[in-house]
Amino acid sequence: MIFTRKSVATVLYLLLSFINGISTNNQEKNEKFESLDKLEFQAKNEQFNVQKEILQLQDLKYETQQQLREIKSANIFLTNRVDNQEERIHILESILQQFKGIGSNGATPAFYAYMTKDESNPGVGHTLIYDNVIVNFGNSYNHSSGRFTAPTPGLYIFSYSTIPSSNSDIPTEIVKNQEVIGATYSNNKYHYTSTSSSTVVVSMTAGDVCFVRTSKFNTPSGSVYSRNDGRTSFSGWLQFYVE
């Protein structure tokens, strides 16, 4: 076969084009492989970062749960301590009320008074006035009206004694507000002294009053005796505070 210059040139051109085509295809494949490698590296890197964040979140969750347990434990401890302190405060307040008292001058209510002289013909339902006050802690007894007014709720004890004059009948009652809570009868018609006395224990609220009067059911006669050799008297005190 005889090749001309022109035909040889043509063959060389075609051969070079083919070789260039193969080179171009290889370069594109290499670039694609490099891109895939980069993507795979980025994906693995992202996966590693995500796993790392998951581990950090799990650690944070554990720490948070531990802190919550500690807070709950501290809350239970503090709640129990507050309850104990409130109970102690309540007990101390009760003791303070009982032993310190809450009268108008800070003293436990207590009084003792007697009549300085006889009282003639007192009549029915007449309030006896014990005008000479020996003790009046809390200033709750009124020597003008003969009435004791409770400054605080509690259990009170009252005691009174009545002496009739010669040839006298003196029935008496001790009254809380308008309720009769005790009674005595004194008679001296047979020329001998017959002193009567009574002690009562009564629950009172603040503002309740207690006093002694002649009976509303039995008519008294004669006089109430009260002299140096024998006193008609009235006394009372707060035994203990009650809410």
Side-chain angles (χ1 to χ4, degrees), residues 213-225:
R213 71 187 180 194
T214 56
S215 176
K216 279 192 172 184
F217 307 99
N218 296 298
T219 302
S221 63
S223 303
V224 178
Y225 182 96

Side-chain angles (χ1 to χ4, degrees), residues 179-209:
E179 177 188 2
V180 176
I181 56 175
T184 64
Y185 182 82
S186 302
N187 178 286
N188 195 13
K189 285 190 174 181
Y190 301 100
H191 305 291
Y192 63 87
T193 301
S194 177
T195 301
S196 64
S197 63
S198 179
T199 299
V200 297
V201 179
V202 60
S203 176
M204 302 182 75
T205 61
D208 285 347
V209 296

Side-chain angles (χ1 to χ4, degrees), residues 7 21 25 37 45 61-62 96 121-122 130 134 149 167 170 173 178-180 184 200-201 205 212 223 230 238:
S7 61
N25 289 335
D37 290 339
N45 191 43
K61 178 182 178 182
Y62 175 79
L96 182 64
N121 302 314
Y130 305 89
I134 305 302
T149 303
N167 296 316
I170 308 294
E173 302 168 339
Q178 297 301 318
E179 177 188 2
V180 176
T184 64
V200 297
V201 179
T205 61
V212 179
S223 303
L238 171 66

Side-chain angles (χ1 to χ4, degrees), residues 4-222:
T4 65
R5 182 180 291 179
K6 184 177 179 180
S7 61
V8 172
T10 300
V11 171
L12 290 173
Y13 174 77
L14 293 173
L15 182 61
L16 288 173
S17 297
F18 176 75
I19 292 171
N20 287 335
I22 293 174
S23 176
T24 300
N25 289 335
N26 289 335
Q27 185 178 358
E28 289 178 354
K29 289 180 180 179
N30 290 334
E31 289 177 354
K32 289 181 179 180
F33 282 130
E34 288 178 359
S35 297
L36 289 173
D37 290 339
K38 289 181 179 179
L39 290 173
E40 183 180 5
F41 176 78
Q42 291 176 355
K44 289 182 178 180
N45 191 43
E46 289 293 332
Q47 183 181 10
F48 174 78
N49 291 334
V50 169
Q51 290 176 343
K52 184 178 179 181
E53 290 181 359
I54 290 173
L55 291 174
Q56 291 176 345
L57 290 173
Q58 288 176 342
D59 291 340
L60 180 61
K61 178 182 178 182
Y62 175 79
E63 292 177 0
T64 303
Q65 290 175 340
Q66 182 67 20
Q67 290 175 354
L68 285 174
R69 285 192 291 268
E70 291 175 356
I71 291 172
K72 288 180 180 179
S73 178
N75 185 51
I76 294 173
F77 172 77
L78 291 174
T79 300
N80 292 335
R81 188 169 183 179
V82 168
D83 291 341
N84 291 335
Q85 292 298 326
E86 288 179 349
E87 184 177 357
R88 288 188 64 191
I89 290 172
H90 180 73
I91 293 173
L92 290 173
E93 286 178 344
S94 299
I95 293 174
L96 182 64
Q97 294 287 8
Q98 292 180 30
F99 291 97
K100 181 180 178 181
I102 51 175
S104 61
N105 63 355
T108 300
F111 76 96
Y112 167 65
Y114 63 79
M115 292 181 177
T116 55
K117 59 183 179 180
D118 296 353
E119 184 165 0
S120 300
N121 302 314
V124 175
H126 172 74
T127 300
L128 299 180
I129 307 298
Y130 305 89
D131 55 311
N132 189 33
V133 179
I134 305 302
V135 174
N136 195 13
F137 294 147
N139 295 320
S140 298
Y141 174 74
N142 188 320
H143 69 279
S144 298
S145 65
R147 292 173 175 248
F148 172 86
T149 303
T152 178
L155 193 68
Y156 289 79
I157 298 177
F158 296 98
S159 179
Y160 72 100
S161 63
T162 305
I163 304 174
S165 295
S166 179
N167 296 316
S168 297
D169 284 319
I170 308 294
T172 58
E173 302 168 339
I174 184 168
V175 180
K176 170 191 167 184
N177 299 328
Q178 297 301 318
E179 177 188 2
V180 176
I181 56 175
T184 64
Y185 182 82
S186 302
N187 178 286
N188 195 13
K189 285 190 174 181
Y190 301 100
H191 305 291
Y192 63 87
T193 301
S194 177
T195 301
S196 64
S197 63
S198 179
T199 299
V200 297
V201 179
V202 60
S203 176
M204 302 182 75
T205 61
D208 285 347
V209 296
C210 187
F211 58 94
V212 179
R213 71 187 180 194
T214 56
S215 176
K216 279 192 172 184
F217 307 99
N218 296 298
T219 302
S221 63

